[in-house]
Amino acid sequence: ASGGCAVAAVLLVRLCATDRFGGSPSDLDFGPKMKCPGAAADGGCSFGSNVALTPGWKNYGHFAQGLLSCLLAVRNLVPGLPKVLHTAASATAPLVAVYPVYNLLKRVSSQADTFAASSYCNNTAEWVCGFLLGISVGRCVEALHGRCHARHGADERPRPHPAAAAAATLAAGMLLWAAAVASALFFSRTWDVLADAGDGGEGS
């Protein structure tokens, strides 16, 4: 969970940089989104909306992938969770790291020079919203489950996770931390991209 929170923290810093990019944090608006055929300073860039959670199936899909984080808590519901569901949840939970890593690699390969004003922002913000909601709901369910079983004197000894699933979860956490660090580096590298594009347009 800490890796996903690190991704969220980096994105929050970018969202709040309204003096540099414009936008509105309360609307999940990251300011203008740039698409440039060449270097940003060369001009010819097009600008579009960079707002998260607008209606659209792709946007809902990003959010849904973040919701997989709830499995990080639900898989700990013991003994109420049947073994087959416990195994399935343990195996599926690491998939929560797939989208932010994929999105980072996609934007770095196609929009490295305009990363701070790219679709990485709004798309990953949608995943972050799902991730945080999933973690919150999962922990609440886990807490309520524990209270119910404690009230009835049920055995709450944790069921060990399969070794492969535990290793996959660790790898997923490391990937999310790597994605958070990499996104911070690319944000810093392209922090002045809008100003550079403006200067280039004025000089042409």
Side-chain angles (χ1 to χ4, degrees):
S2 63
C5 291
V7 172
V10 172
L11 206 59
L12 180 62
V13 172
R14 166 60 182 83
L15 178 63
C16 292
T18 55
D19 58 332
R20 182 73 61 170
F21 298 96
S24 171
S26 61
D27 297 324
L28 293 180
D29 183 353
F30 289 86
K33 174 173 59 180
M34 294 180 63
K35 288 186 178 181
C36 304
D42 294 337
C45 299
S46 60
F47 296 86
S49 173
N50 204 355
V51 182
L53 292 178
T54 56
W57 289 111
K58 286 186 178 181
N59 302 334
Y60 300 150
H62 303 154
F63 180 83
Q65 290 178 76
L67 283 175
L68 289 173
S69 63
C70 69
L71 297 178
L72 295 171
V74 171
R75 64 182 184 162
N76 294 321
L77 301 186
V78 184
L81 196 66
K83 184 176 181 180
V84 64
L85 294 181
H86 175 268
T87 301
S90 296
T92 305
L95 296 179
V96 71
V98 171
Y99 183 73
V101 174
Y102 159 79
N103 192 34
L104 175 69
L105 295 176
K106 179 180 179 181
R107 302 307 166 190
V108 167
S109 64
S110 62
Q111 297 175 285
D113 292 334
T114 58
F115 185 83
S118 71
S119 296
Y120 174 84
C121 300
N122 68 301
N123 290 345
T124 304
E126 290 156 359
W127 176 89
V128 164
C129 290
F131 177 87
L132 296 178
L133 178 61
I135 286 289
S136 301
V137 171
R139 293 305 181 191
C140 287
V141 171
E142 184 180 23
L144 290 173
H145 178 273
R147 286 177 62 88
C148 290
H149 278 263
R151 182 176 301 173
H152 292 87
D155 184 6
E156 284 293 312
R157 288 176 297 175
R159 179 183 293 156
H161 303 304
T169 301
L170 177 62
M174 294 174 66
L175 283 173
L176 287 175
W177 269 105
V181 172
S183 64
L185 291 175
F186 274 95
F187 278 144
S188 65
R189 179 176 175 268
T190 57
W191 198 250
D192 295 321
V193 64
L194 290 181
D196 292 343
D199 293 341
E202 292 172 4
S204 60

